[in-house]
Amino acid sequence: ETGVTQTPRHLVMGMTNKKSLKCEQHLGHNAMYWYKQSAKKPLELMFVYNFKEQTENNSVPSRFSPECPNSSHLFLHLHTLQPEDSALYLCASSQDRPGRETQYFGPGTRLLVL
Amino acid sequence: DAKTTQPPSMDCAEGRAANLPCNHSTISGNEYVYWYRQIHSQGPQYIIHGLKNNETNEMASLIITEDRKSSTLILPHATLRDTAVYYCIVRGYMNYGGSQGNLIFGKGTKLSVKP
């Protein structure tokens, strides 16, 4: 257990569905991240939130919409996804302070888009 | 792009030390060397990080060369549960609104620990 939880762990959705992924961290961190890991590819950073403000959007399509209501929670809202969006979606958190920047990852949500 | 080079795969006998090398010849003075591992289909697990000095914790040791252009992660007594992909990552301090602190994952080294 890393102190970062993600729900659901598995999700199957159609291309017309709307769903949300949830991430919660119990570490008192102030930065949170979404990563995508497609089959046979390295992890790709999608979004960064620092003190609830989005500080990075790594050219992610608008069908992915992040939300960070507070420093402990992060959501990824999904709508009209494509089959190529099937991947493992990982959340991470860290503290934005020298010596405390280590990112801790959740277990991920395995998403299948049909 | 990842700023590190790692061998794609390595084997290690159970109970022996696993030494995983990493080259980071373009590392700058304020960048750390981080190691993570990912067991199949799970989230990456933080192992250790260092700046200049060698580091040791309950999981592993990190040896950084004096010129900082390469490092080695050492798992002193590898077990079957250490089979995973190991990522060596160079990153700077995470400035608010900046990307220097972002983790850029490469392909890593797939370590197979065999009985």
PDB file of all heavy atoms in Angstrom, chain A residues 79-100:
ATOM      1  N   HIS A  79     -15.147  10.762 -21.783  1.00  0.00           N
ATOM      2  CA  HIS A  79     -16.336  10.769 -22.634  1.00  0.00           C
ATOM      3  C   HIS A  79     -15.942  10.608 -24.097  1.00  0.00           C
ATOM      4  O   HIS A  79     -14.934  11.143 -24.533  1.00  0.00           O
ATOM      5  CB  HIS A  79     -17.153  12.054 -22.410  1.00  0.00           C
ATOM      6  CG  HIS A  79     -16.412  13.305 -22.754  1.00  0.00           C
ATOM      7  ND1 HIS A  79     -16.568  13.978 -23.948  1.00  0.00           N
ATOM      8  CD2 HIS A  79     -15.503  14.004 -22.062  1.00  0.00           C
ATOM      9  CE1 HIS A  79     -15.803  15.046 -23.944  1.00  0.00           C
ATOM     10  NE2 HIS A  79     -15.145  15.088 -22.818  1.00  0.00           N
ATOM     11  N   THR A  80     -16.768   9.843 -24.798  1.00  0.00           N
ATOM     12  CA  THR A  80     -16.555   9.523 -26.216  1.00  0.00           C
ATOM     13  C   THR A  80     -15.136   9.067 -26.494  1.00  0.00           C
ATOM     14  O   THR A  80     -14.441   9.600 -27.368  1.00  0.00           O
ATOM     15  CB  THR A  80     -16.930  10.708 -27.136  1.00  0.00           C
ATOM     16  OG1 THR A  80     -16.138  11.843 -26.803  1.00  0.00           O
ATOM     17  CG2 THR A  80     -18.396  11.027 -27.002  1.00  0.00           C
ATOM     18  N   LEU A  81     -14.686   8.090 -25.706  1.00  0.00           N
ATOM     19  CA  LEU A  81     -13.336   7.571 -25.904  1.00  0.00           C
ATOM     20  C   LEU A  81     -13.271   6.676 -27.123  1.00  0.00           C
ATOM     21  O   LEU A  81     -14.303   6.224 -27.654  1.00  0.00           O
ATOM     22  CB  LEU A  81     -12.883   6.790 -24.676  1.00  0.00           C
ATOM     23  CG  LEU A  81     -12.692   7.589 -23.384  1.00  0.00           C
ATOM     24  CD1 LEU A  81     -11.940   6.750 -22.360  1.00  0.00           C
ATOM     25  CD2 LEU A  81     -11.960   8.892 -23.627  1.00  0.00           C
ATOM     26  N   GLN A  82     -12.039   6.419 -27.558  1.00  0.00           N
ATOM     27  CA  GLN A  82     -11.771   5.571 -28.697  1.00  0.00           C
ATOM     28  C   GLN A  82     -11.121   4.270 -28.218  1.00  0.00           C
ATOM     29  O   GLN A  82     -10.501   4.242 -27.140  1.00  0.00           O
ATOM     30  CB  GLN A  82     -10.818   6.283 -29.671  1.00  0.00           C
ATOM     31  CG  GLN A  82     -11.319   7.643 -30.130  1.00  0.00           C
ATOM     32  CD  GLN A  82     -12.612   7.532 -30.903  1.00  0.00           C
ATOM     33  OE1 GLN A  82     -12.718   6.718 -31.816  1.00  0.00           O
ATOM     34  NE2 GLN A  82     -13.603   8.333 -30.528  1.00  0.00           N
ATOM     35  N   PRO A  83     -11.205   3.216 -29.006  1.00  0.00           N
ATOM     36  CA  PRO A  83     -10.562   1.963 -28.589  1.00  0.00           C
ATOM     37  C   PRO A  83      -9.079   2.120 -28.275  1.00  0.00           C
ATOM     38  O   PRO A  83      -8.556   1.445 -27.376  1.00  0.00           O
ATOM     39  CB  PRO A  83     -10.794   1.038 -29.784  1.00  0.00           C
ATOM     40  CG  PRO A  83     -12.075   1.536 -30.392  1.00  0.00           C
ATOM     41  CD  PRO A  83     -12.022   3.036 -30.229  1.00  0.00           C
ATOM     42  N   GLU A  84      -8.397   3.023 -28.955  1.00  0.00           N
ATOM     43  CA  GLU A  84      -6.953   3.204 -28.695  1.00  0.00           C
ATOM     44  C   GLU A  84      -6.681   3.872 -27.352  1.00  0.00           C
ATOM     45  O   GLU A  84      -5.515   3.987 -26.932  1.00  0.00           O
ATOM     46  CB  GLU A  84      -6.289   4.015 -29.822  1.00  0.00           C
ATOM     47  CG  GLU A  84      -6.851   5.404 -30.028  1.00  0.00           C
ATOM     48  CD  GLU A  84      -7.894   5.437 -31.135  1.00  0.00           C
ATOM     49  OE1 GLU A  84      -8.564   4.400 -31.374  1.00  0.00           O
ATOM     50  OE2 GLU A  84      -8.034   6.509 -31.760  1.00  0.00           O
ATOM     51  N   ASP A  85      -7.736   4.316 -26.677  1.00  0.00           N
ATOM     52  CA  ASP A  85      -7.572   4.872 -25.333  1.00  0.00           C
ATOM     53  C   ASP A  85      -7.525   3.780 -24.272  1.00  0.00           C
ATOM     54  O   ASP A  85      -7.311   4.074 -23.086  1.00  0.00           O
ATOM     55  CB  ASP A  85      -8.707   5.842 -25.007  1.00  0.00           C
ATOM     56  CG  ASP A  85      -8.714   7.055 -25.922  1.00  0.00           C
ATOM     57  OD1 ASP A  85      -7.617   7.562 -26.252  1.00  0.00           O
ATOM     58  OD2 ASP A  85      -9.811   7.489 -26.321  1.00  0.00           O
ATOM     59  N   SER A  86      -7.727   2.559 -24.676  1.00  0.00           N
ATOM     60  CA  SER A  86      -7.610   1.434 -23.743  1.00  0.00           C
ATOM     61  C   SER A  86      -6.188   1.392 -23.212  1.00  0.00           C
ATOM     62  O   SER A  86      -5.222   1.386 -23.992  1.00  0.00           O
ATOM     63  CB  SER A  86      -7.946   0.123 -24.446  1.00  0.00           C
ATOM     64  OG  SER A  86      -9.276   0.126 -24.926  1.00  0.00           O
ATOM     65  N   ALA A  87      -6.063   1.381 -21.881  1.00  0.00           N
ATOM     66  CA  ALA A  87      -4.726   1.472 -21.286  1.00  0.00           C
ATOM     67  C   ALA A  87      -4.857   1.317 -19.776  1.00  0.00           C
ATOM     68  O   ALA A  87      -5.957   1.223 -19.234  1.00  0.00           O
ATOM     69  CB  ALA A  87      -4.065   2.810 -21.605  1.00  0.00           C
ATOM     70  N   LEU A  88      -3.719   1.340 -19.107  1.00  0.00           N
ATOM     71  CA  LEU A  88      -3.670   1.418 -17.648  1.00  0.00           C
ATOM     72  C   LEU A  88      -3.496   2.891 -17.281  1.00  0.00           C
ATOM     73  O   LEU A  88      -2.548   3.532 -17.738  1.00  0.00           O
ATOM     74  CB  LEU A  88      -2.504   0.593 -17.111  1.00  0.00           C
ATOM     75  CG  LEU A  88      -2.313   0.561 -15.596  1.00  0.00           C
ATOM     76  CD1 LEU A  88      -3.466  -0.182 -14.914  1.00  0.00           C
ATOM     77  CD2 LEU A  88      -0.974  -0.099 -15.231  1.00  0.00           C
ATOM     78  N   TYR A  89      -4.423   3.424 -16.493  1.00  0.00           N
ATOM     79  CA  TYR A  89      -4.351   4.820 -16.088  1.00  0.00           C
ATOM     80  C   TYR A  89      -3.901   4.866 -14.633  1.00  0.00           C
ATOM     81  O   TYR A  89      -4.505   4.275 -13.746  1.00  0.00           O
ATOM     82  CB  TYR A  89      -5.698   5.522 -16.289  1.00  0.00           C
ATOM     83  CG  TYR A  89      -5.975   5.725 -17.755  1.00  0.00           C
ATOM     84  CD1 TYR A  89      -6.575   4.717 -18.510  1.00  0.00           C
ATOM     85  CD2 TYR A  89      -5.575   6.896 -18.400  1.00  0.00           C
ATOM     86  CE1 TYR A  89      -6.781   4.875 -19.869  1.00  0.00           C
ATOM     87  CE2 TYR A  89      -5.779   7.057 -19.768  1.00  0.00           C
ATOM     88  CZ  TYR A  89      -6.373   6.049 -20.491  1.00  0.00           C
ATOM     89  OH  TYR A  89      -6.567   6.202 -21.841  1.00  0.00           O
ATOM     90  N   LEU A  90      -2.813   5.589 -14.431  1.00  0.00           N
ATOM     91  CA  LEU A  90      -2.168   5.627 -13.127  1.00  0.00           C
ATOM     92  C   LEU A  90      -2.218   7.024 -12.538  1.00  0.00           C
ATOM     93  O   LEU A  90      -2.009   8.018 -13.233  1.00  0.00           O
ATOM     94  CB  LEU A  90      -0.710   5.196 -13.255  1.00  0.00           C
ATOM     95  CG  LEU A  90      -0.512   3.727 -13.608  1.00  0.00           C
ATOM     96  CD1 LEU A  90       0.811   3.525 -14.320  1.00  0.00           C
ATOM     97  CD2 LEU A  90      -0.566   2.867 -12.358  1.00  0.00           C
ATOM     98  N   CYS A  91      -2.471   7.070 -11.263  1.00  0.00           N
ATOM     99  CA  CYS A  91      -2.459   8.315 -10.510  1.00  0.00           C
ATOM    100  C   CYS A  91      -1.249   8.303  -9.593  1.00  0.00           C
ATOM    101  O   CYS A  91      -0.835   7.234  -9.107  1.00  0.00           O
ATOM    102  CB  CYS A  91      -3.744   8.420  -9.698  1.00  0.00           C
ATOM    103  SG  CYS A  91      -3.809   9.792  -8.532  1.00  0.00           S
ATOM    104  N   ALA A  92      -0.668   9.459  -9.358  1.00  0.00           N
ATOM    105  CA  ALA A  92       0.450   9.569  -8.431  1.00  0.00           C
ATOM    106  C   ALA A  92       0.320  10.868  -7.651  1.00  0.00           C
ATOM    107  O   ALA A  92      -0.408  11.786  -8.054  1.00  0.00           O
ATOM    108  CB  ALA A  92       1.782   9.540  -9.185  1.00  0.00           C
ATOM    109  N   SER A  93       1.017  10.939  -6.519  1.00  0.00           N
ATOM    110  CA  SER A  93       1.035  12.182  -5.753  1.00  0.00           C
ATOM    111  C   SER A  93       2.426  12.416  -5.201  1.00  0.00           C
ATOM    112  O   SER A  93       3.236  11.480  -5.072  1.00  0.00           O
ATOM    113  CB  SER A  93       0.002  12.149  -4.618  1.00  0.00           C
ATOM    114  OG  SER A  93       0.407  11.258  -3.586  1.00  0.00           O
ATOM    115  N   SER A  94       2.703  13.677  -4.876  1.00  0.00           N
ATOM    116  CA  SER A  94       3.990  14.023  -4.290  1.00  0.00           C
ATOM    117  C   SER A  94       3.849  15.320  -3.520  1.00  0.00           C
ATOM    118  O   SER A  94       2.814  15.990  -3.580  1.00  0.00           O
ATOM    119  CB  SER A  94       5.072  14.174  -5.372  1.00  0.00           C
ATOM    120  OG  SER A  94       4.866  15.362  -6.115  1.00  0.00           O
ATOM    121  N   GLN A  95       4.897  15.662  -2.800  1.00  0.00           N
ATOM    122  CA  GLN A  95       4.934  16.920  -2.077  1.00  0.00           C
ATOM    123  C   GLN A  95       5.833  17.868  -2.863  1.00  0.00           C
ATOM    124  O   GLN A  95       6.929  17.481  -3.271  1.00  0.00           O
ATOM    125  CB  GLN A  95       5.516  16.683  -0.678  1.00  0.00           C
ATOM    126  CG  GLN A  95       5.434  17.865   0.247  1.00  0.00           C
ATOM    127  CD  GLN A  95       4.047  18.053   0.801  1.00  0.00           C
ATOM    128  OE1 GLN A  95       3.098  18.252   0.058  1.00  0.00           O
ATOM    129  NE2 GLN A  95       3.911  17.983   2.113  1.00  0.00           N
ATOM    130  N   ASP A  96       5.372  19.088  -3.059  1.00  0.00           N
ATOM    131  CA  ASP A  96       6.184  20.049  -3.801  1.00  0.00           C
ATOM    132  C   ASP A  96       7.089  20.798  -2.834  1.00  0.00           C
ATOM    133  O   ASP A  96       6.864  21.944  -2.497  1.00  0.00           O
ATOM    134  CB  ASP A  96       5.278  21.033  -4.554  1.00  0.00           C
ATOM    135  CG  ASP A  96       6.089  22.027  -5.384  1.00  0.00           C
ATOM    136  OD1 ASP A  96       7.269  21.760  -5.648  1.00  0.00           O
ATOM    137  OD2 ASP A  96       5.534  23.076  -5.735  1.00  0.00           O
ATOM    138  N   ARG A  97       8.118  20.059  -2.347  1.00  0.00           N
ATOM    139  CA  ARG A  97       9.065  20.656  -1.396  1.00  0.00           C
ATOM    140  C   ARG A  97      10.388  19.942  -1.574  1.00  0.00           C
ATOM    141  O   ARG A  97      10.408  18.721  -1.757  1.00  0.00           O
ATOM    142  CB  ARG A  97       8.529  20.443   0.017  1.00  0.00           C
ATOM    143  CG  ARG A  97       9.037  21.449   1.028  1.00  0.00           C
ATOM    144  CD  ARG A  97       8.141  21.481   2.237  1.00  0.00           C
ATOM    145  NE  ARG A  97       8.194  20.249   2.986  1.00  0.00           N
ATOM    146  CZ  ARG A  97       7.223  19.873   3.802  1.00  0.00           C
ATOM    147  NH1 ARG A  97       6.146  20.614   3.927  1.00  0.00           N
ATOM    148  NH2 ARG A  97       7.310  18.752   4.466  1.00  0.00           N
ATOM    149  N   PRO A  98      11.509  20.666  -1.533  1.00  0.00           N
ATOM    150  CA  PRO A  98      12.815  20.006  -1.738  1.00  0.00           C
ATOM    151  C   PRO A  98      12.992  18.817  -0.812  1.00  0.00           C
ATOM    152  O   PRO A  98      12.749  18.917   0.387  1.00  0.00           O
ATOM    153  CB  PRO A  98      13.812  21.129  -1.414  1.00  0.00           C
ATOM    154  CG  PRO A  98      13.066  22.374  -1.679  1.00  0.00           C
ATOM    155  CD  PRO A  98      11.633  22.097  -1.319  1.00  0.00           C
ATOM    156  N   GLY A  99      13.402  17.706  -1.384  1.00  0.00           N
ATOM    157  CA  GLY A  99      13.610  16.488  -0.615  1.00  0.00           C
ATOM    158  C   GLY A  99      12.363  15.657  -0.424  1.00  0.00           C
ATOM    159  O   GLY A  99      12.424  14.555   0.083  1.00  0.00           O
ATOM    160  N   ARG A 100      11.219  16.205  -0.825  1.00  0.00           N
ATOM    161  CA  ARG A 100       9.961  15.467  -0.628  1.00  0.00           C
ATOM    162  C   ARG A 100       9.214  15.278  -1.948  1.00  0.00           C
ATOM    163  O   ARG A 100       8.012  15.073  -1.963  1.00  0.00           O
ATOM    164  CB  ARG A 100       9.042  16.237   0.322  1.00  0.00           C
ATOM    165  CG  ARG A 100       9.596  16.427   1.716  1.00  0.00           C
ATOM    166  CD  ARG A 100       9.636  15.127   2.485  1.00  0.00           C
ATOM    167  NE  ARG A 100      10.087  15.307   3.851  1.00  0.00           N
ATOM    168  CZ  ARG A 100       9.278  15.401   4.888  1.00  0.00           C
ATOM    169  NH1 ARG A 100       7.975  15.348   4.699  1.00  0.00           N
ATOM    170  NH2 ARG A 100       9.762  15.572   6.097  1.00  0.00           N
TER     171      ARG A 100
END
